[in-house]
Every structure is written in structure tokens, then in C-alpha cells.
Amino acid sequence: MGKTQEAAEQATRTPTIRLEVARYRPGEDAEPVYQGYDVPLTDDWAVLDGLTYIKDRLDGTLSFRWSCRMGICGSCGMTVNGEPRLTCGTFLTEFGEGPIRIEPLKGFPVIRDLVVEIDDFLDKLAHVRPWLIREGEELPLTTEYAQTPRQLEAYKQYSMCINCMLCYSACPVYVLNPDFLGPAAIALAQRYNLDSRDQGDRLDLLNTDEGVWGCTFVGECTSACPKHVDPAEAIQRYKVTAAVESVKALLPWGRR
Ligand code: SF4
Ligand code: FES
């Protein structure tokens, strides 16, 4: 029995839900079209399971990214019924009888179907010098810098980011201004700024119109974040730091 026939027979045995999936090949298609697929509706299936079912049983040409299936790798982010979501953590049963519309993450160029370009996002992460900076010393690999639980707690929340890009997709500023450093990159900078072992200075990167001052505090980034990183809080906290440092710089003895 062929896979398509097998899938059709399975569909008659179990309830199904319709996925309306955006299909697009830049350079070949004039615009995205939505293709409908019926997939089994079971309590334990996430949207990603539905897409995998389509890929394996119905249409092998569908393209999408995923890796861990457990909310760790951050690669399965898509727009599900208009909201940026991790598709491995979004269950089909959440949408009643459907249909469920699945599109690529908004705000990013599409490579194909549900796969978006991530280079700009990765460049922004690297831009904030996301490593421990020590003044006047090389950091030998064998060196240990002890840290108390309280010191760990100061930045731990920001270290939980899985680079899923949902916050960028939700952010109206990033959609309008691609130069905006964006929520996850600023949260990442704060992850290091607040680390007791770090002595780095990222003020020149963050205290700019493309940095924290680009944020209009809509807060959608925090609402979209599946890991409760709260990038909006990271940005607002750094605005205070930047303002204090700017005032200090005006004083006769200058900054630090
Ligand atoms: S801050 Fe949250 S939403 Fe943004 S990339 Fe990190 S985990 Fe994803
Ligand atoms: S597949 Fe890894 S987070 Fe969804």
C-alpha cells in the first residue's frame, strides 16, 4: 500500500484537522499560496507533528525547520493562526475544529515555504559581544570564577533564551526598522552585563537609537517568549543603566 493511500485510510479512521500551510518558492512563485492538508487530530500531536505527517505521508516537497521537538533548539518557530509560536509546543487540540493557518515567522525573508532567513538575527546576537569580557587579562580555559547563587540569579532568566526569534517576529519595531538590535540580542547583552564575572562595556552598542532607545515598550516580545526570558524588562532595565551612565559622563570625573 502506498504512503498516500495509507494516509487516506488513516484519515477515515481518526478525526482530522485541516492545516492551511503557506507555500512559497521565492524566484519561482509570484506570491505565497495556502495549501490545505488534513492531518490526524489527536490529543498528543503538536502542530509540528502535523507538518511532519504532511512531509512524510502527503507531500514531501513541504519545507520547514525543526530539530529537538521539545522546546530546546528554538528552530521550529512559525506563525500559527497569526501568532508567533514554537510549533513543537503548540498542540493541534488548541484550535478546536480548525482550520489552522501556518505561515513562516513574520518579519524575516522567506527562503522556502516555512523556512526563513536567520542571518540577520545571528549577526545581531554576535554584535553584542556575548561572551565574558575580562579587563586586562586573558581568560585561561582552566580558570574558575566562583559565583554565589544570588549572583547567578541576577542574570539566569536572560540565559534561558533558545534563540527562537519569536520575539523579533512579534516586535513591531523590528518589522519597521530592521536595524533595531531587537529583544533577544539586548536580553543576551544583559545576560553578560549582569554576570558578576563579566567586566565588559556594551554601552556603545546598547545606548543608541538602534539599541535600547529603539524600543517603544510595546511588550509583545515578552508575551511571545516561550521561555519567560522577558526581553522587554531587559531593555527597560538597560535604559535606566544607559541614562545613569550618560549623566555620569557629564560630571567632571566622567564615567567610571
Ligand atoms: S528572548 Fe524568548 S522569544 Fe526571544 S529568541 Fe529568546 S527565547 Fe525566543
Ligand atoms: S523543534 Fe526544537 S524548539 Fe521546537
Side-chain angles (χ1 to χ4, degrees):
M1 189 188 304
K3 279 185 176 178
T4 307
Q5 189 185 350
E6 192 185 325
E9 289 199 0
Q10 184 175 353
T12 62
R13 290 195 299 270
T14 45
T16 59
I17 189 165
R18 172 145 285 228
L19 305 189
E20 295 174 351
V21 183
R23 305 300 308 272
Y24 184 46
R25 294 163 301 173
E28 295 180 51
D29 301 331
E31 58 185 23
V33 294
Y34 293 92
Q35 199 162 345
Y37 304 94
D38 293 320
V39 304
L41 176 61
T42 65
D43 287 348
D44 57 351
W45 267 28
V47 170
L48 181 61
D49 295 304
L51 293 173
T52 306
Y53 180 87
I54 295 170
K55 178 93 180 167
D56 288 349
R57 309 287 191 96
L58 305 178
D59 186 347
T61 66
L62 179 64
S63 297
F64 55 97
R65 265 198 200 104
W66 64 276
S67 182
C68 70
R69 307 178 84 102
M70 56 176 72
I72 300 295
C73 74
S75 61
C76 70
M78 298 173 210
T79 305
V80 181
N81 274 8
E83 304 287 332
R85 303 285 295 268
L86 285 184
T87 52
C88 71
T90 303
F91 287 88
L92 295 172
T93 48
E94 194 183 307
F95 302 93
E97 295 179 355
I100 308 173
R101 180 159 280 206
I102 304 165
E103 303 163 279
L105 278 181
K106 292 189 172 81
F108 297 93
V110 175
I111 295 176
R112 182 183 167 118
D113 295 338
L114 302 168
V115 179
V116 296
E117 178 67 60
I118 63 174
D119 287 0
D120 180 61
F121 175 72
L122 295 179
D123 287 347
K124 286 185 159 79
L125 294 184
H127 187 66
V128 301
R129 299 196 278 265
W131 51 82
L132 292 179
I133 299 170
R134 303 285 297 182
E135 284 173 2
E137 72 177 280
E138 294 294 321
L139 196 62
L141 289 174
T142 51
T143 304
E144 284 185 17
Y145 293 91
Q147 201 163 51
T148 66
R150 195 169 186 164
Q151 287 170 327
L152 169 65
E153 210 50 46
Y155 68 87
K156 187 177 172 194
Q157 172 191 349
Y158 301 135
S159 72
M160 304 308 281
C161 175
I162 58 171
N163 302 332
C164 66
M165 312 197 303
L166 301 196
C167 52
Y168 282 68
S169 191
C171 174
V173 177
Y174 181 66
V175 171
L176 291 173
N177 176 15
D179 290 335
F180 176 46
L181 203 45
I186 297 173
L188 181 64
Q190 281 290 66
R191 177 255 172 270
Y192 286 95
N193 287 336
L194 297 172
D195 190 319
S196 58
R197 301 164 297 180
D198 185 83
Q199 299 169 334
D201 185 352
R202 299 174 181 85
L203 194 67
D204 57 327
L205 302 173
L206 300 179
N207 188 20
T208 64
D209 290 343
E210 287 73 39
V212 291
W213 301 110
C215 171
T216 54
F217 199 30
V218 177
E220 289 294 330
C221 54
T222 291
S223 304
C225 179
K227 292 294 174 183
H228 311 293
V229 171
D230 201 351
E233 186 206 48
I235 295 171
Q236 301 319 307
R237 284 181 72 178
Y238 201 79
K239 281 182 180 174
V240 174
T241 303
V244 169
E245 290 299 323
S246 297
V247 170
K248 274 194 201 168
L250 296 175
L251 298 174
W253 50 87
R255 278 174 57 202
R256 278 190 275 173

